[in-house]
Amino acid sequence: RLSISAGDWIYVGDSDTDMKTARAAGFFAVGAAWGFRPVQELVAAGAQRIFRQPEEILELLSTRSCFQENRAE
């Protein structure tokens, strides 16, 4: 068993189902703008951050201060 709370996990996805799943699990929901669905759909489904490039995941992983909601496009 891992000793990590749900709020310390991130879930990166590109669909409304991914965002809903992440939020239902208590994970930090990150929408991938380069993926399958439009950004507006990801935000409406609960994305707490939107990333335009995969490299932005590294910033999120390097500092917990990034675990803040930022829905700006």
mmCIF file of all heavy atoms in Angstrom, residues 7-57:
data_model
loop_
_atom_site.group_PDB
_atom_site.id
_atom_site.type_symbol
_atom_site.label_atom_id
_atom_site.label_comp_id
_atom_site.label_asym_id
_atom_site.label_seq_id
_atom_site.Cartn_x
_atom_site.Cartn_y
_atom_site.Cartn_z
ATOM 1 N N GLY A 7 -5.524 13.431 -2.814
ATOM 2 C CA GLY A 7 -5.230 14.795 -3.247
ATOM 3 C C GLY A 7 -3.810 15.021 -3.715
ATOM 4 O O GLY A 7 -3.503 16.048 -4.309
ATOM 5 N N ASP A 8 -2.935 14.063 -3.461
ATOM 6 C CA ASP A 8 -1.546 14.175 -3.905
ATOM 7 C C ASP A 8 -1.292 13.507 -5.251
ATOM 8 O O ASP A 8 -0.178 13.530 -5.747
ATOM 9 C CB ASP A 8 -0.604 13.578 -2.856
ATOM 10 C CG ASP A 8 -0.517 14.439 -1.614
ATOM 11 O OD1 ASP A 8 -0.748 15.658 -1.712
ATOM 12 O OD2 ASP A 8 -0.228 13.888 -0.538
ATOM 13 N N TRP A 9 -2.311 12.904 -5.807
ATOM 14 C CA TRP A 9 -2.187 12.274 -7.132
ATOM 15 C C TRP A 9 -2.623 13.261 -8.202
ATOM 16 O O TRP A 9 -3.487 14.103 -7.977
ATOM 17 C CB TRP A 9 -3.101 11.049 -7.220
ATOM 18 C CG TRP A 9 -2.645 9.890 -6.420
ATOM 19 C CD1 TRP A 9 -2.965 9.627 -5.116
ATOM 20 C CD2 TRP A 9 -1.782 8.840 -6.843
ATOM 21 N NE1 TRP A 9 -2.347 8.462 -4.712
ATOM 22 C CE2 TRP A 9 -1.616 7.956 -5.756
ATOM 23 C CE3 TRP A 9 -1.125 8.556 -8.047
ATOM 24 C CZ2 TRP A 9 -0.834 6.814 -5.832
ATOM 25 C CZ3 TRP A 9 -0.351 7.412 -8.108
ATOM 26 C CH2 TRP A 9 -0.205 6.559 -7.020
ATOM 27 N N ILE A 10 -2.026 13.143 -9.381
ATOM 28 C CA ILE A 10 -2.516 13.909 -10.520
ATOM 29 C C ILE A 10 -3.025 12.927 -11.562
ATOM 30 O O ILE A 10 -2.546 11.805 -11.677
ATOM 31 C CB ILE A 10 -1.464 14.850 -11.141
ATOM 32 C CG1 ILE A 10 -0.298 14.072 -11.734
ATOM 33 C CG2 ILE A 10 -1.007 15.884 -10.155
ATOM 34 C CD1 ILE A 10 0.584 14.921 -12.611
ATOM 35 N N TYR A 11 -4.015 13.364 -12.287
ATOM 36 C CA TYR A 11 -4.608 12.565 -13.351
ATOM 37 C C TYR A 11 -4.614 13.466 -14.577
ATOM 38 O O TYR A 11 -5.303 14.478 -14.609
ATOM 39 C CB TYR A 11 -6.016 12.160 -12.939
ATOM 40 C CG TYR A 11 -6.724 11.171 -13.836
ATOM 41 C CD1 TYR A 11 -7.197 9.970 -13.324
ATOM 42 C CD2 TYR A 11 -6.987 11.434 -15.187
ATOM 43 C CE1 TYR A 11 -7.880 9.058 -14.109
ATOM 44 C CE2 TYR A 11 -7.661 10.531 -15.978
ATOM 45 C CZ TYR A 11 -8.109 9.342 -15.430
ATOM 46 O OH TYR A 11 -8.794 8.450 -16.219
ATOM 47 N N VAL A 12 -3.841 13.107 -15.577
ATOM 48 C CA VAL A 12 -3.779 13.875 -16.817
ATOM 49 C C VAL A 12 -4.631 13.148 -17.835
ATOM 50 O O VAL A 12 -4.432 11.959 -18.098
ATOM 51 C CB VAL A 12 -2.327 14.008 -17.340
ATOM 52 C CG1 VAL A 12 -2.305 14.800 -18.643
ATOM 53 C CG2 VAL A 12 -1.441 14.673 -16.298
ATOM 54 N N GLY A 13 -5.585 13.868 -18.394
ATOM 55 C CA GLY A 13 -6.475 13.240 -19.364
ATOM 56 C C GLY A 13 -6.919 14.203 -20.438
ATOM 57 O O GLY A 13 -6.722 15.412 -20.329
ATOM 58 N N ASP A 14 -7.538 13.647 -21.476
ATOM 59 C CA ASP A 14 -7.944 14.471 -22.612
ATOM 60 C C ASP A 14 -9.427 14.346 -22.937
ATOM 61 O O ASP A 14 -9.848 14.656 -24.043
ATOM 62 C CB ASP A 14 -7.097 14.141 -23.837
ATOM 63 C CG ASP A 14 -7.297 12.721 -24.345
ATOM 64 O OD1 ASP A 14 -7.997 11.931 -23.678
ATOM 65 O OD2 ASP A 14 -6.756 12.407 -25.415
ATOM 66 N N SER A 15 -10.218 13.914 -21.958
ATOM 67 C CA SER A 15 -11.653 13.808 -22.216
ATOM 68 C C SER A 15 -12.448 14.191 -20.972
ATOM 69 O O SER A 15 -11.913 14.242 -19.863
ATOM 70 C CB SER A 15 -12.020 12.375 -22.632
ATOM 71 O OG SER A 15 -11.939 11.504 -21.517
ATOM 72 N N ASP A 16 -13.735 14.436 -21.183
ATOM 73 C CA ASP A 16 -14.597 14.757 -20.056
ATOM 74 C C ASP A 16 -14.674 13.594 -19.080
ATOM 75 O O ASP A 16 -14.685 13.781 -17.866
ATOM 76 C CB ASP A 16 -15.983 15.166 -20.544
ATOM 77 C CG ASP A 16 -16.688 14.081 -21.356
ATOM 78 O OD1 ASP A 16 -16.005 13.261 -22.016
ATOM 79 O OD2 ASP A 16 -17.928 14.060 -21.340
ATOM 80 N N THR A 17 -14.656 12.376 -19.587
ATOM 81 C CA THR A 17 -14.669 11.196 -18.722
ATOM 82 C C THR A 17 -13.431 11.144 -17.843
ATOM 83 O O THR A 17 -13.518 10.818 -16.644
ATOM 84 C CB THR A 17 -14.770 9.908 -19.564
ATOM 85 O OG1 THR A 17 -15.970 9.973 -20.348
ATOM 86 C CG2 THR A 17 -14.789 8.674 -18.690
ATOM 87 N N ASP A 18 -12.284 11.493 -18.400
ATOM 88 C CA ASP A 18 -11.046 11.531 -17.609
ATOM 89 C C ASP A 18 -11.156 12.538 -16.468
ATOM 90 O O ASP A 18 -10.759 12.259 -15.332
ATOM 91 C CB ASP A 18 -9.839 11.884 -18.482
ATOM 92 C CG ASP A 18 -9.453 10.801 -19.454
ATOM 93 O OD1 ASP A 18 -9.747 9.616 -19.191
ATOM 94 O OD2 ASP A 18 -8.853 11.141 -20.492
ATOM 95 N N MET A 19 -11.677 13.721 -16.757
ATOM 96 C CA MET A 19 -11.780 14.756 -15.728
ATOM 97 C C MET A 19 -12.769 14.347 -14.646
ATOM 98 O O MET A 19 -12.517 14.524 -13.455
ATOM 99 C CB MET A 19 -12.195 16.102 -16.345
ATOM 100 C CG MET A 19 -11.188 16.669 -17.346
ATOM 101 S SD MET A 19 -9.524 16.889 -16.679
ATOM 102 C CE MET A 19 -8.688 15.437 -17.311
ATOM 103 N N LYS A 20 -13.888 13.775 -15.038
ATOM 104 C CA LYS A 20 -14.885 13.325 -14.066
ATOM 105 C C LYS A 20 -14.337 12.192 -13.202
ATOM 106 O O LYS A 20 -14.587 12.139 -11.997
ATOM 107 C CB LYS A 20 -16.155 12.897 -14.787
ATOM 108 C CG LYS A 20 -16.899 14.064 -15.412
ATOM 109 C CD LYS A 20 -18.081 13.593 -16.237
ATOM 110 C CE LYS A 20 -18.739 14.755 -16.949
ATOM 111 N NZ LYS A 20 -19.806 14.311 -17.857
ATOM 112 N N THR A 21 -13.586 11.295 -13.810
ATOM 113 C CA THR A 21 -12.983 10.186 -13.070
ATOM 114 C C THR A 21 -11.975 10.706 -12.054
ATOM 115 O O THR A 21 -11.961 10.278 -10.893
ATOM 116 C CB THR A 21 -12.299 9.197 -14.037
ATOM 117 O OG1 THR A 21 -13.284 8.681 -14.934
ATOM 118 C CG2 THR A 21 -11.612 8.069 -13.304
ATOM 119 N N ALA A 22 -11.134 11.642 -12.488
ATOM 120 C CA ALA A 22 -10.131 12.222 -11.593
ATOM 121 C C ALA A 22 -10.795 12.899 -10.404
ATOM 122 O O ALA A 22 -10.401 12.682 -9.248
ATOM 123 C CB ALA A 22 -9.265 13.226 -12.358
ATOM 124 N N ARG A 23 -11.784 13.710 -10.657
ATOM 125 C CA ARG A 23 -12.454 14.436 -9.577
ATOM 126 C C ARG A 23 -13.187 13.483 -8.642
ATOM 127 O O ARG A 23 -13.163 13.658 -7.421
ATOM 128 C CB ARG A 23 -13.413 15.484 -10.145
ATOM 129 C CG ARG A 23 -12.752 16.609 -10.963
ATOM 130 C CD ARG A 23 -11.708 17.383 -10.171
ATOM 131 N NE ARG A 23 -12.247 18.140 -9.066
ATOM 132 C CZ ARG A 23 -12.444 19.435 -9.050
ATOM 133 N NH1 ARG A 23 -12.135 20.168 -10.093
ATOM 134 N NH2 ARG A 23 -12.940 20.024 -7.998
ATOM 135 N N ALA A 24 -13.826 12.468 -9.190
ATOM 136 C CA ALA A 24 -14.553 11.497 -8.364
ATOM 137 C C ALA A 24 -13.598 10.751 -7.427
ATOM 138 O O ALA A 24 -13.970 10.390 -6.305
ATOM 139 C CB ALA A 24 -15.313 10.512 -9.245
ATOM 140 N N ALA A 25 -12.371 10.540 -7.880
ATOM 141 C CA ALA A 25 -11.368 9.842 -7.069
ATOM 142 C C ALA A 25 -10.666 10.771 -6.094
ATOM 143 O O ALA A 25 -9.892 10.323 -5.254
ATOM 144 C CB ALA A 25 -10.336 9.179 -7.983
ATOM 145 N N GLY A 26 -10.903 12.080 -6.230
ATOM 146 C CA GLY A 26 -10.237 13.046 -5.364
ATOM 147 C C GLY A 26 -8.856 13.433 -5.853
ATOM 148 O O GLY A 26 -8.081 14.040 -5.124
ATOM 149 N N PHE A 27 -8.537 13.079 -7.097
ATOM 150 C CA PHE A 27 -7.239 13.398 -7.683
ATOM 151 C C PHE A 27 -7.243 14.824 -8.224
ATOM 152 O O PHE A 27 -8.290 15.426 -8.438
ATOM 153 C CB PHE A 27 -6.905 12.462 -8.835
ATOM 154 C CG PHE A 27 -6.725 11.010 -8.461
ATOM 155 C CD1 PHE A 27 -6.618 10.055 -9.441
ATOM 156 C CD2 PHE A 27 -6.670 10.597 -7.141
ATOM 157 C CE1 PHE A 27 -6.446 8.718 -9.119
ATOM 158 C CE2 PHE A 27 -6.493 9.263 -6.805
ATOM 159 C CZ PHE A 27 -6.388 8.321 -7.802
ATOM 160 N N PHE A 28 -6.052 15.361 -8.481
ATOM 161 C CA PHE A 28 -5.902 16.674 -9.108
ATOM 162 C C PHE A 28 -6.057 16.474 -10.613
ATOM 163 O O PHE A 28 -5.258 15.783 -11.246
ATOM 164 C CB PHE A 28 -4.535 17.272 -8.762
ATOM 165 C CG PHE A 28 -4.402 18.704 -9.162
ATOM 166 C CD1 PHE A 28 -4.957 19.708 -8.384
ATOM 167 C CD2 PHE A 28 -3.729 19.047 -10.315
ATOM 168 C CE1 PHE A 28 -4.830 21.042 -8.749
ATOM 169 C CE2 PHE A 28 -3.602 20.375 -10.682
ATOM 170 C CZ PHE A 28 -4.156 21.370 -9.899
ATOM 171 N N ALA A 29 -7.099 17.053 -11.199
ATOM 172 C CA ALA A 29 -7.453 16.816 -12.597
ATOM 173 C C ALA A 29 -6.769 17.810 -13.530
ATOM 174 O O ALA A 29 -6.965 19.015 -13.417
ATOM 175 C CB ALA A 29 -8.965 16.918 -12.776
ATOM 176 N N VAL A 30 -5.962 17.291 -14.455
ATOM 177 C CA VAL A 30 -5.250 18.112 -15.435
ATOM 178 C C VAL A 30 -5.751 17.751 -16.830
ATOM 179 O O VAL A 30 -5.687 16.592 -17.239
ATOM 180 C CB VAL A 30 -3.723 17.879 -15.357
ATOM 181 C CG1 VAL A 30 -3.014 18.676 -16.438
ATOM 182 C CG2 VAL A 30 -3.203 18.261 -13.976
ATOM 183 N N GLY A 31 -6.235 18.759 -17.542
ATOM 184 C CA GLY A 31 -6.703 18.546 -18.903
ATOM 185 C C GLY A 31 -5.582 18.740 -19.909
ATOM 186 O O GLY A 31 -4.835 19.707 -19.832
ATOM 187 N N ALA A 32 -5.466 17.800 -20.821
ATOM 188 C CA ALA A 32 -4.449 17.856 -21.874
ATOM 189 C C ALA A 32 -5.064 18.483 -23.122
ATOM 190 O O ALA A 32 -5.851 17.852 -23.821
ATOM 191 C CB ALA A 32 -3.940 16.453 -22.189
ATOM 192 N N ALA A 33 -4.706 19.739 -23.389
ATOM 193 C CA ALA A 33 -5.279 20.478 -24.508
ATOM 194 C C ALA A 33 -4.864 19.913 -25.869
ATOM 195 O O ALA A 33 -5.507 20.207 -26.872
ATOM 196 C CB ALA A 33 -4.892 21.955 -24.417
ATOM 197 N N TRP A 34 -3.834 19.100 -25.912
ATOM 198 C CA TRP A 34 -3.363 18.523 -27.167
ATOM 199 C C TRP A 34 -4.120 17.229 -27.500
ATOM 200 O O TRP A 34 -3.841 16.574 -28.487
ATOM 201 C CB TRP A 34 -1.863 18.236 -27.102
ATOM 202 C CG TRP A 34 -1.483 17.228 -26.057
ATOM 203 C CD1 TRP A 34 -1.453 15.866 -26.203
ATOM 204 C CD2 TRP A 34 -1.115 17.492 -24.712
ATOM 205 N NE1 TRP A 34 -1.093 15.264 -25.025
ATOM 206 C CE2 TRP A 34 -0.875 16.250 -24.086
ATOM 207 C CE3 TRP A 34 -0.967 18.661 -23.972
ATOM 208 C CZ2 TRP A 34 -0.495 16.150 -22.758
ATOM 209 C CZ3 TRP A 34 -0.587 18.543 -22.649
ATOM 210 C CH2 TRP A 34 -0.349 17.305 -22.056
ATOM 211 N N GLY A 35 -5.083 16.879 -26.675
ATOM 212 C CA GLY A 35 -5.741 15.585 -26.818
ATOM 213 C C GLY A 35 -7.026 15.603 -27.609
ATOM 214 O O GLY A 35 -7.234 16.404 -28.519
ATOM 215 N N PHE A 36 -7.914 14.732 -27.206
ATOM 216 C CA PHE A 36 -9.105 14.342 -27.942
ATOM 217 C C PHE A 36 -10.229 15.371 -27.928
ATOM 218 O O PHE A 36 -10.947 15.523 -28.909
ATOM 219 C CB PHE A 36 -9.579 13.001 -27.375
ATOM 220 C CG PHE A 36 -10.736 12.382 -28.068
ATOM 221 C CD1 PHE A 36 -10.643 11.974 -29.384
ATOM 222 C CD2 PHE A 36 -11.927 12.194 -27.399
ATOM 223 C CE1 PHE A 36 -11.715 11.391 -30.029
ATOM 224 C CE2 PHE A 36 -13.007 11.600 -28.031
ATOM 225 C CZ PHE A 36 -12.893 11.203 -29.346
ATOM 226 N N ARG A 37 -10.422 16.070 -26.819
ATOM 227 C CA ARG A 37 -11.573 16.971 -26.661
ATOM 228 C C ARG A 37 -11.137 18.434 -26.539
ATOM 229 O O ARG A 37 -10.021 18.726 -26.142
ATOM 230 C CB ARG A 37 -12.364 16.588 -25.416
ATOM 231 C CG ARG A 37 -12.925 15.196 -25.446
ATOM 232 C CD ARG A 37 -14.107 15.144 -26.356
ATOM 233 N NE ARG A 37 -14.754 13.835 -26.225
ATOM 234 C CZ ARG A 37 -15.661 13.414 -27.048
ATOM 235 N NH1 ARG A 37 -16.063 14.164 -28.047
ATOM 236 N NH2 ARG A 37 -16.205 12.236 -26.880
ATOM 237 N N PRO A 38 -12.054 19.365 -26.817
ATOM 238 C CA PRO A 38 -11.724 20.793 -26.687
ATOM 239 C C PRO A 38 -11.549 21.212 -25.224
ATOM 240 O O PRO A 38 -12.125 20.608 -24.313
ATOM 241 C CB PRO A 38 -12.922 21.508 -27.310
ATOM 242 C CG PRO A 38 -13.974 20.496 -27.524
ATOM 243 C CD PRO A 38 -13.388 19.143 -27.362
ATOM 244 N N VAL A 39 -10.756 22.252 -25.014
ATOM 245 C CA VAL A 39 -10.463 22.756 -23.671
ATOM 246 C C VAL A 39 -11.741 23.087 -22.910
ATOM 247 O O VAL A 39 -11.859 22.771 -21.724
ATOM 248 C CB VAL A 39 -9.533 23.999 -23.758
ATOM 249 C CG1 VAL A 39 -9.436 24.696 -22.419
ATOM 250 C CG2 VAL A 39 -8.165 23.593 -24.260
ATOM 251 N N GLN A 40 -12.691 23.704 -23.558
ATOM 252 C CA GLN A 40 -13.941 24.085 -22.889
ATOM 253 C C GLN A 40 -14.632 22.873 -22.277
ATOM 254 O O GLN A 40 -15.203 22.956 -21.188
ATOM 255 C CB GLN A 40 -14.899 24.780 -23.870
ATOM 256 C CG GLN A 40 -14.372 26.064 -24.439
ATOM 257 C CD GLN A 40 -13.447 25.856 -25.644
ATOM 258 O OE1 GLN A 40 -13.095 24.745 -26.028
ATOM 259 N NE2 GLN A 40 -13.023 26.963 -26.238
ATOM 260 N N GLU A 41 -14.578 21.746 -22.960
ATOM 261 C CA GLU A 41 -15.199 20.530 -22.439
ATOM 262 C C GLU A 41 -14.452 20.009 -21.215
ATOM 263 O O GLU A 41 -15.068 19.553 -20.247
ATOM 264 C CB GLU A 41 -15.229 19.458 -23.521
ATOM 265 C CG GLU A 41 -15.955 18.198 -23.101
ATOM 266 C CD GLU A 41 -16.092 17.211 -24.241
ATOM 267 O OE1 GLU A 41 -16.423 17.627 -25.360
ATOM 268 O OE2 GLU A 41 -15.855 16.021 -23.988
ATOM 269 N N LEU A 42 -13.131 20.097 -21.245
ATOM 270 C CA LEU A 42 -12.327 19.645 -20.112
ATOM 271 C C LEU A 42 -12.607 20.495 -18.877
ATOM 272 O O LEU A 42 -12.772 19.972 -17.772
ATOM 273 C CB LEU A 42 -10.834 19.690 -20.464
ATOM 274 C CG LEU A 42 -10.393 18.804 -21.631
ATOM 275 C CD1 LEU A 42 -8.931 19.069 -21.962
ATOM 276 C CD2 LEU A 42 -10.646 17.346 -21.347
ATOM 277 N N VAL A 43 -12.685 21.798 -19.066
ATOM 278 C CA VAL A 43 -12.968 22.718 -17.955
ATOM 279 C C VAL A 43 -14.365 22.463 -17.403
ATOM 280 O O VAL A 43 -14.561 22.365 -16.190
ATOM 281 C CB VAL A 43 -12.796 24.185 -18.401
ATOM 282 C CG1 VAL A 43 -13.307 25.143 -17.329
ATOM 283 C CG2 VAL A 43 -11.335 24.469 -18.719
ATOM 284 N N ALA A 44 -15.337 22.314 -18.285
ATOM 285 C CA ALA A 44 -16.715 22.063 -17.847
ATOM 286 C C ALA A 44 -16.832 20.757 -17.069
ATOM 287 O O ALA A 44 -17.677 20.634 -16.180
ATOM 288 C CB ALA A 44 -17.651 22.050 -19.054
ATOM 289 N N ALA A 45 -15.965 19.803 -17.372
ATOM 290 C CA ALA A 45 -15.999 18.500 -16.704
ATOM 291 C C ALA A 45 -15.168 18.471 -15.423
ATOM 292 O O ALA A 45 -15.109 17.451 -14.746
ATOM 293 C CB ALA A 45 -15.517 17.414 -17.658
ATOM 294 N N GLY A 46 -14.507 19.600 -15.089
ATOM 295 C CA GLY A 46 -13.818 19.682 -13.807
ATOM 296 C C GLY A 46 -12.308 19.778 -13.834
ATOM 297 O O GLY A 46 -11.668 19.649 -12.798
ATOM 298 N N ALA A 47 -11.717 20.020 -14.997
ATOM 299 C CA ALA A 47 -10.255 20.171 -15.044
ATOM 300 C C ALA A 47 -9.832 21.315 -14.132
ATOM 301 O O ALA A 47 -10.382 22.405 -14.191
ATOM 302 C CB ALA A 47 -9.782 20.443 -16.469
ATOM 303 N N GLN A 48 -8.833 21.044 -13.287
ATOM 304 C CA GLN A 48 -8.328 22.062 -12.372
ATOM 305 C C GLN A 48 -7.168 22.833 -12.971
ATOM 306 O O GLN A 48 -6.856 23.935 -12.526
ATOM 307 C CB GLN A 48 -7.911 21.397 -11.055
ATOM 308 C CG GLN A 48 -9.110 20.832 -10.316
ATOM 309 C CD GLN A 48 -8.700 19.909 -9.209
ATOM 310 O OE1 GLN A 48 -8.483 18.729 -9.446
ATOM 311 N NE2 GLN A 48 -8.593 20.430 -8.006
ATOM 312 N N ARG A 49 -6.519 22.261 -13.934
ATOM 313 C CA ARG A 49 -5.465 22.921 -14.723
ATOM 314 C C ARG A 49 -5.609 22.440 -16.151
ATOM 315 O O ARG A 49 -6.048 21.326 -16.393
ATOM 316 C CB ARG A 49 -4.057 22.558 -14.233
ATOM 317 C CG ARG A 49 -3.648 23.044 -12.874
ATOM 318 C CD ARG A 49 -3.194 24.482 -12.795
ATOM 319 N NE ARG A 49 -2.140 24.858 -13.706
ATOM 320 C CZ ARG A 49 -0.847 24.892 -13.414
ATOM 321 N NH1 ARG A 49 -0.426 24.532 -12.222
ATOM 322 N NH2 ARG A 49 0.029 25.295 -14.301
ATOM 323 N N ILE A 50 -5.201 23.280 -17.084
ATOM 324 C CA ILE A 50 -5.147 22.913 -18.497
ATOM 325 C C ILE A 50 -3.715 23.093 -18.949
ATOM 326 O O ILE A 50 -3.119 24.152 -18.738
ATOM 327 C CB ILE A 50 -6.069 23.802 -19.368
ATOM 328 C CG1 ILE A 50 -7.537 23.619 -18.973
ATOM 329 C CG2 ILE A 50 -5.858 23.527 -20.844
ATOM 330 C CD1 ILE A 50 -8.120 22.252 -19.276
ATOM 331 N N PHE A 51 -3.176 22.071 -19.549
ATOM 332 C CA PHE A 51 -1.832 22.143 -20.111
ATOM 333 C C PHE A 51 -1.929 22.117 -21.624
ATOM 334 O O PHE A 51 -2.665 21.323 -22.196
ATOM 335 C CB PHE A 51 -0.964 20.982 -19.642
ATOM 336 C CG PHE A 51 -0.532 21.069 -18.202
ATOM 337 C CD1 PHE A 51 -0.063 19.962 -17.547
ATOM 338 C CD2 PHE A 51 -0.576 22.262 -17.504
ATOM 339 C CE1 PHE A 51 0.357 20.029 -16.232
ATOM 340 C CE2 PHE A 51 -0.165 22.353 -16.190
ATOM 341 C CZ PHE A 51 0.298 21.227 -15.548
ATOM 342 N N ARG A 52 -1.149 22.987 -22.246
ATOM 343 C CA ARG A 52 -1.121 23.064 -23.707
ATOM 344 C C ARG A 52 -0.038 22.166 -24.306
ATOM 345 O O ARG A 52 -0.146 21.744 -25.442
ATOM 346 C CB ARG A 52 -0.868 24.505 -24.140
ATOM 347 C CG ARG A 52 -1.902 25.468 -23.602
ATOM 348 C CD ARG A 52 -2.884 25.851 -24.661
ATOM 349 N NE ARG A 52 -3.927 26.689 -24.087
ATOM 350 C CZ ARG A 52 -5.207 26.456 -24.271
ATOM 351 N NH1 ARG A 52 -5.596 25.442 -24.994
ATOM 352 N NH2 ARG A 52 -6.106 27.228 -23.740
ATOM 353 N N GLN A 53 1.015 21.909 -23.533
ATOM 354 C CA GLN A 53 2.148 21.091 -23.991
ATOM 355 C C GLN A 53 2.453 20.020 -22.952
ATOM 356 O O GLN A 53 2.388 20.288 -21.752
ATOM 357 C CB GLN A 53 3.408 21.967 -24.170
ATOM 358 C CG GLN A 53 3.258 23.112 -25.143
ATOM 359 C CD GLN A 53 3.125 22.607 -26.568
ATOM 360 O OE1 GLN A 53 3.743 21.627 -26.950
ATOM 361 N NE2 GLN A 53 2.301 23.277 -27.354
ATOM 362 N N PRO A 54 2.835 18.829 -23.388
ATOM 363 C CA PRO A 54 3.169 17.765 -22.428
ATOM 364 C C PRO A 54 4.274 18.163 -21.443
ATOM 365 O O PRO A 54 4.265 17.714 -20.291
ATOM 366 C CB PRO A 54 3.632 16.611 -23.318
ATOM 367 C CG PRO A 54 2.989 16.853 -24.634
ATOM 368 C CD PRO A 54 2.910 18.354 -24.767
ATOM 369 N N GLU A 55 5.181 19.024 -21.856
ATOM 370 C CA GLU A 55 6.291 19.429 -21.000
ATOM 371 C C GLU A 55 5.818 20.131 -19.724
ATOM 372 O O GLU A 55 6.531 20.166 -18.728
ATOM 373 C CB GLU A 55 7.254 20.348 -21.760
ATOM 374 C CG GLU A 55 7.955 19.686 -22.912
ATOM 375 C CD GLU A 55 7.126 19.623 -24.203
ATOM 376 O OE1 GLU A 55 6.053 20.279 -24.296
ATOM 377 O OE2 GLU A 55 7.541 18.888 -25.103
ATOM 378 N N GLU A 56 4.617 20.685 -19.755
ATOM 379 C CA GLU A 56 4.090 21.381 -18.584
ATOM 380 C C GLU A 56 3.861 20.423 -17.417
ATOM 381 O O GLU A 56 3.805 20.852 -16.263
ATOM 382 C CB GLU A 56 2.801 22.104 -18.941
ATOM 383 C CG GLU A 56 3.023 23.262 -19.896
ATOM 384 C CD GLU A 56 1.723 23.928 -20.272
ATOM 385 O OE1 GLU A 56 1.226 24.737 -19.455
ATOM 386 O OE2 GLU A 56 1.203 23.638 -21.367
ATOM 387 N N ILE A 57 3.750 19.139 -17.695
ATOM 388 C CA ILE A 57 3.585 18.149 -16.633
ATOM 389 C C ILE A 57 4.801 18.166 -15.718
ATOM 390 O O ILE A 57 4.682 18.006 -14.500
ATOM 391 C CB ILE A 57 3.357 16.747 -17.222
ATOM 392 C CG1 ILE A 57 2.055 16.734 -18.029
ATOM 393 C CG2 ILE A 57 3.326 15.692 -16.125
ATOM 394 C CD1 ILE A 57 1.871 15.499 -18.874
#
